[in-house]
Amino acid sequence: MRILLVTQYWYPENGVPQRRWSWLAKMLIDAGHEVCVIAPPPRNSRSVDTTGDSKLTRRIPYKGTQGETIFRSSAYRVGDSITSKAASQLLIALSQVRTLIRNRKQIEPDLVIGTVPALPTAGVTWVAAKIFDRPYVIDLRDAWPDLMGQASSWNAEVGDPSIREKLAKNGPLQLVTRVSTKVLNSLLRGARAILVTSSTLKASLESRRELSTRGNSPEVVVIRNVFPVASQPTEDRGSHRKSGHLNVLYAGTIGRAQNLQNALEAAKLAKQQGLQVHMIFVGAGAARELLQEKAQEFGVDARFIRLKPAELLNAYYDWADTALVHLAEWEPLRRTVPSKTYELLFNRIHISGVVEGEAADLISSLGGGDVVPPQDPSALANLWVSLENNPQRLSVGTTGRDWVIREREEMTPVRLLQILQQIEASDGNASS
């Protein structure tokens, strides 16, 4: 099959969506499929109208690192506010439609796949499917549109609300949320399949009447974020450990859905119990600046490191006694498994899980670490004190690593290629 992938994130960017689909694109190409990608240029080359001689921004297609053909749309600079990001995503989506139309003779897919977020990508995917009269698949990843219901809490971790946010909460936000939810449900209902990253989200989607048409619903397939990682602890692992101290690492997005202020409060409480918690946060996000301010206010020993390539995380993994997997107390996040969970399981690094639902179940059942409820800094502080008093608990076995390898090398290829075969078999227009 010739597959068109619509995304707002692509190599050489190194985030989770990019790594997920670089891995899956290679899997598809190795299986004999062709892959075309429509994506904007990397963020560091974006402007109001990104043009130029670089192959990352020019308007002619070129081959990517996995053998995919890349068509670059225009892109737009954004701020950290939700409205700025939403505007940017919408403008990129419109540019992607123009790119589709301009290159339609070169693309001509048998199947269209759109990966969310950004949410406007689902709309572009539908448009592409209409243009080419082909079926489409939505890679939903996380618990959308459920997370739209948490919109009023999105900015809780980035400081006091702005005047714009206060005005939006008095009607406009509810209207946008309601309309966005209805539109996304309609797009999901029309998809041939929906890809998700957790089994609980799969079960939830399969039970929803709003995704059913005359008793028929899209196939929901679990494709977990178990992509290969470059990071790996070295022989120095654990050499930094000393009595009365605990090294805690957080590597990932420092954003709205993480509620990492809870971890700072836990470190403050642990200090009152005689444990000195040393924290390193590696990453970027909308809540980073406020988190730095809170660390100083609480008197917590915390360092903040800008986002690093995965292979440069090794030194931090060697330093860490335990690593945080941390989410806010939002109901839809119970159906989300942070990608970092799999990387830590694979590398056998003890996890301090501040999560609920499937993520908590995986960490516990695979012996990957310990779990406490979100928004309970006392429970997290007590966990850290207990780990320091019982350091043998920081040793992690191979069960989690073996499970990740099996999901990556055996389960995912079967699930992904099987759903494509089903779509190809049921669509008379698709060509092999």
Side-chain angles (χ1 to χ4, degrees), residues 2 17 19 63 124 193 247 289 309 347 361 364 413:
R2 186 171 173 82
R19 284 181 284 165
K63 285 293 183 181
V124 180
N247 293 342
E289 185 175 338
N347 284 324
D361 293 341
S364 298

Side-chain angles (χ1 to χ4, degrees), residues 268-281:
K268 179 182 176 181
L269 293 174
K271 187 176 181 179
Q272 294 172 2
Q273 298 182 53
L275 174 64
Q276 183 63 50
V277 176
H278 308 279
M279 308 189 76
I280 291 181
F281 294 87

